[in-house]
Amino acid sequence: MKNKIRVCLLLEGTYPYITGGVSGWIHELIRGLPDIEFVLFTISPKYNQEVRYRLPENIVEHRDIVISKPGQSGKRIVNKKKIFREIVRVHQDFFKARIPELEGLFSIYPEGYFPYNDAVLRREGWEMMVKQNNLLNPVYAFSDYFWAWKSSHDLMFTITGSEIPVADLYHAVSTGYAGLAALIAKIRTGKPFLLTEHGLYHKEREMEIKRALYVTGYQRDMWIKIFNNLSRMSYKYADCIVSLFEINRRKQLEMGAPEKKTIVIPNGIDVGRFTGIKREKRKGFHIGLIGRVVPIKDIKNFILASRIISEMIPDAFFYCIGPIDEDPGYFEECRKMVESFRLTEQFVFTGRQDVTAYYSFLNVICLTSVREAQPLVILEAFCAGVPIVSTKVGNIPELLDYDDRFLASSKDPGMIAHCVKFIYDNPHDVEELVSRNREKILKFYNRDEVHKRYGTLYARLTGKL
């Protein structure tokens, strides 16, 4: 490389405040590219969150934006009329199912301007809201539409007015608000925008919105459309779009991502760390789930399956290995389920642990998630020699060779239990399968090779190759 590259990572609700999954991937990427300077632009739900990682030395700056906290406009804006004409134009394109050109807006929209009140007090914004309410929601009270519109747009105004750090490249690790910040940075600075999607942000938000009982009717539809449009805008403005596997790349294309911009770079793991684990035999049959105790991991489904398995395999023991403090209410519900099923002598919530200690003796690992991308735990388990049983989500069916002996539909604890019983009854067949899976991981999912690909991608996009 000609000189050192500075990359701004734009992160929403993840590193360095949440452990595991995407956060772990980000941490290892930064550590794996020590010659690159990284700046963190984090988008958080609240102030003063605990940093869960020891930040590598090549992180040279960290700027945290609390998305729900209104920013303060620090200077007088002289061209508000022109700005709001552009805002109305952008909305008109959305109403016609078009992805708008945003250069006209963000070339005149300055950093440090937060139009929370101007958006509803200026004539342009007010007339637009009244017109859309009459077209879309004539039977609802205008006040309901007003507050739904304002609350959803105020979050975006926090992003559009925020000052984004100086960098050679802006790398968003999702669409949504992080993608919005990255595309604005690209327009304002002319620097390239790289997008990596582990899952599909708009789909994950849609699932959450539909589960939320307090978001109904047109408010639900408004939020879903906003997140879909944020993804489409990110796809339009990104210089390169990375997905972890081919199925998700095709879904990006369906959402309007230009095919020539899309590539696949899979997850990678430290293969030496996991192939070096010494397996040990323990009395009983040991079944683990490695993941955060949160609804998307569907820990309750694992508990239900554990209840069924305990009747099939009397000497079974169960371990839920991962943080229990991210959703205390959900954890308490799970704990009470274990008690009600009389599994307290067999079922353990371990909290945050070094997973290698568990890979050494677990007989099988279960994933019961309702949504995943390409879970690192599967790559790690295969490398360590542990078989997997999982729900059919994300890239997991492909990783498990579409073998229905190890796959179950979401919310099907009976099938999870049946798959575990197959592993219990057929140890020799499973041992051969595990050996093949280990070879696949060594060949295609080596973390060092993944990091090299990102380093080359950074250099190519910034012209410093």
Side-chain angles (χ1 to χ4, degrees), residues 221-379:
D221 296 340
M222 178 188 295
W223 279 105
I224 291 172
K225 287 178 181 177
I226 285 172
F227 290 127
N228 283 343
N229 285 331
L230 287 174
S231 288
R232 290 190 175 99
M233 288 193 298
S234 293
Y235 296 153
K236 177 176 180 176
Y237 280 90
D239 294 277
C240 181
I241 304 165
V242 181
S243 57
L244 299 184
F245 50 98
E246 181 62 21
I247 292 174
N248 267 14
R249 190 186 78 88
R250 292 184 182 278
K251 290 179 180 177
Q252 291 170 336
L253 298 179
E254 291 171 4
M255 284 288 288
E259 185 165 12
K260 64 182 180 181
K261 293 183 179 181
T262 62
I263 61 173
V264 173
I265 301 179
N267 266 328
I269 62 168
D270 181 353
V271 294
R273 180 188 179 200
F274 295 99
T275 53
I277 292 173
K278 185 178 180 180
R279 298 279 291 159
E280 62 181 59
K281 178 70 175 175
R282 289 193 182 183
K283 184 179 180 181
F285 193 75
H286 301 273
I287 303 153
L289 181 149
I290 297 175
R292 298 170 293 133
V293 182
V294 292
I296 200 168
K297 300 298 184 182
D298 203 356
I299 306 301
K300 292 179 181 180
N301 193 21
F302 178 56
I303 298 169
L304 287 166
S306 299
R307 178 69 181 89
I308 300 168
I309 294 166
S310 67
E311 295 181 351
M312 295 177 170
I313 308 173
D315 61 346
F317 295 90
F318 308 94
Y319 307 83
C320 185
I321 306 155
I324 61 175
D325 56 354
E326 293 187 18
D327 190 333
Y330 184 75
F331 166 66
E332 184 62 19
E333 291 172 5
C334 292
R335 188 188 65 78
K336 288 180 177 178
M337 278 186 69
V338 170
E339 286 185 355
S340 68
F341 288 154
R342 299 180 180 178
L343 292 173
T344 51
E345 297 298 317
Q346 298 165 266
F347 194 109
V348 179
F349 291 99
T350 71
R352 190 177 286 105
Q353 296 288 333
D354 177 0
V355 295
T356 57
Y358 289 86
Y359 285 136
S360 67
F361 71 88
L362 288 174
N363 298 103
V364 59
I365 288 175
C366 292
L367 276 78
T368 52
S369 304
V370 293
R371 194 163 191 87
E372 286 282 0
Q374 190 180 72
L376 292 173
V377 63
I378 290 184
L379 309 182

Side-chain angles (χ1 to χ4, degrees), residues 382 399 401 433-442:
F382 281 171
L399 289 173
D401 296 320
L433 179 69
V434 165
S435 179
R436 292 201 306 269
N437 286 334
R438 182 188 285 113
E439 292 304 313
K440 179 169 62 176
I441 301 306
L442 293 174

